[in-house]
Amino acid sequence: MTKIFAHRGSKGTHPENTLSAFREAVRVGSDGIELDVQLSKDGQLVVIHDETINRTTDGTGTVGDMTVKELQEYDAGSWFSMEYATEKIPTFTEVLDLLTEIGFTGTLNIELKTDQYDYPGIEQKLVKLIQKQQPVFEVIYSSFNPLTLERLGEIDPQTKKAWIMVGDKFTILFSKYLLLIDSIHPSFTWFSKMEKELIDYPKYIRPWTVNEESAMILCFKRNVDAFHTDYPAQAIQCRNKLADN
Ligand code: G3P
Ligand code: MG
């Protein structure tokens, strides 16, 4: 059965990468949750997609130039809707605590946002924290940056790693970096062009971001391992409808 991963939490219905978006993703029964991790100026793991806080808070500035205390002074919810005005940029630890508290038992997909800034030490911090906390849910790591995946493997060869891919290059499927990983996360556009090549590809395939019903149906029919969606509740409904027919 194709699993459904909530992209940045339930991003379509709640402000992305906030505790409310993760709570909603669990409430509707998502099999997995994807989130984006970066490092603050004081070296803390924080959960936010963009390299600046400009789009998703009421402040401005670069994530890596601000301490956690500074980052958490801003409202990370009212840009989406006033009812979320109390949301803050969460630390990664706050998300782990929330998921543990509400009994999440699916898969947590941690994307390391190292494609623009390298954030030295981010891989080590994450892996050590997960090893220390030993969450009951499964953890997989993903990144656009293959060097991050390489570092994760050096820190702990047991880590499950996915390479996030865009574009339409067939040759990428023969890259040396594919030896490092057990799954690929292709953009849906690429996946839909490449589905015949990818169908028997010996890695887990988890396309993103799959929001249209027709795209969801294609993923279910191709029996991919999972897909990422901004609308996990709708994807679950779509999967149930297909199962009933
Ligand atoms: O992991 C899939 C997806 O999250 C990658 O793109 O930009 O949404 O982080 P982005
Ligand atoms: Mg992401």
Side-chain angles (χ1 to χ4, degrees), residues 7-8 34-37 49 51 109-117 123 141-152 161-167 172 175 177 180-181 183 185-188 190 208-209 228:
H7 181 232
R8 308 182 203 168
E34 189 262 2
L35 52 75
D36 305 289
V37 171
H49 177 270
E51 285 76 10
N109 176 180
I110 307 167
E111 179 184 345
L112 292 89
K113 276 270 167 241
T114 49
D115 34 311
Q116 284 199 37
Y117 296 111
E123 298 87 359
Y141 300 88
S142 64
S143 186
F144 281 96
N145 183 349
L147 298 179
T148 276
L149 302 170
E150 198 167 33
R151 287 180 205 128
L152 288 166
K161 296 171 285 297
W163 192 4
I164 308 171
M165 295 179 175
V166 284
I172 207 163
S175 161
Y177 290 115
L180 303 171
I181 58 165
S183 32
H185 291 182
S187 69
F188 179 76
W190 183 43
W208 52 275
T209 304
H228 298 81

